[in-house]
Amino acid sequence: MSRLACRSLAVVLGGRAVVDRVDLALDPGRVTAIVGANGAGKSTLLSSLAGLRPPTGGAVTLDGAPLSGMRPKARARRIAFLPQTPEIAWSVEARTLVGLGRTPFLGALGPDAADHAAVDRAMAAAQVTAFDRRVVTTLSGGERARVLIARALAGDPEWLLADEPLTGLDPAHQLDVAALFRSLADAGAGVVVTLHDLSMALRLSHRVVVLADGRVLADDPPLVALTPDVLRRAYGIEARLTEGAGGPLIDVVRRAG
């Protein structure tokens, strides 16, 4: 079983502890949502878990081995990271961009049949096969976001870490991507996402980690983690749990106090 974990993880930026002594043990086969107010440390924690931001203190481990001791190529074969504001530097076709997700696996002769098949599967899963020969800079923001998800999936990662992956998607495609993440978890992958949409966190995730000032305020199943008291402390809001047609919703009533 591939376990991603951190122990006493700390990241100090500009003299401030953006992540402050966080302990987490994440298991595959589950979707974990990390939520919290702006500046709570969500993106910094996620990039540290991906091995892309060295911690100031503590450590991140994969199967008990420190990520810091892994070669970047070996780490990239197991962990895919989808940043919040990815940059696309070249005017390339969507299929070419998705194919970059196979880079850690390529041999001296370049992509082979297995690589091409992996790209096909990833594009189908992200519903971007129709963009195959479209230049990515001509796609809408939401379409580009889905192509970038396909790039992350092309490596068949054990772990997918995605920072605000639903931002910029229309409601229908938000539901599609949420279902895709659940299907990845059902197939045995570990999925960790940061979200601002608390109702989506309720519906999408098996587990919710609530951050406040870089520390873990709650770490439980969604209905246990996202209580009115926790939301008051994390966001400074008064909120209540309601039942919608598609499942539970969080109704924000007003600012606390």
Side-chain angles (χ1 to χ4, degrees), residues 6-18:
C6 63
R7 180 74 174 172
S8 298
L9 185 68
V11 179
V12 176
L13 299 174
R16 183 173 76 90
V18 180

Side-chain angles (χ1 to χ4, degrees), residues 52-123:
L52 300 176
R53 185 182 293 276
T56 306
V60 179
T61 59
L62 183 61
D63 294 336
L67 276 189
S68 59
M70 295 181 66
R71 294 178 180 270
K73 186 175 181 178
R75 186 184 67 227
R77 286 183 172 186
R78 302 182 67 183
I79 301 174
F81 179 73
L82 188 63
Q84 185 179 65
T85 53
E87 295 184 3
I88 299 176
W90 309 286
S91 296
V92 297
E93 293 179 346
R95 184 178 183 84
T96 300
L97 183 63
V98 175
L100 294 177
R102 296 298 302 172
T103 300
F105 300 89
L106 296 183
L109 300 179
D112 58 17
D115 296 311
H116 292 303
V119 170
D120 287 338
R121 289 194 303 272
M123 295 189 76

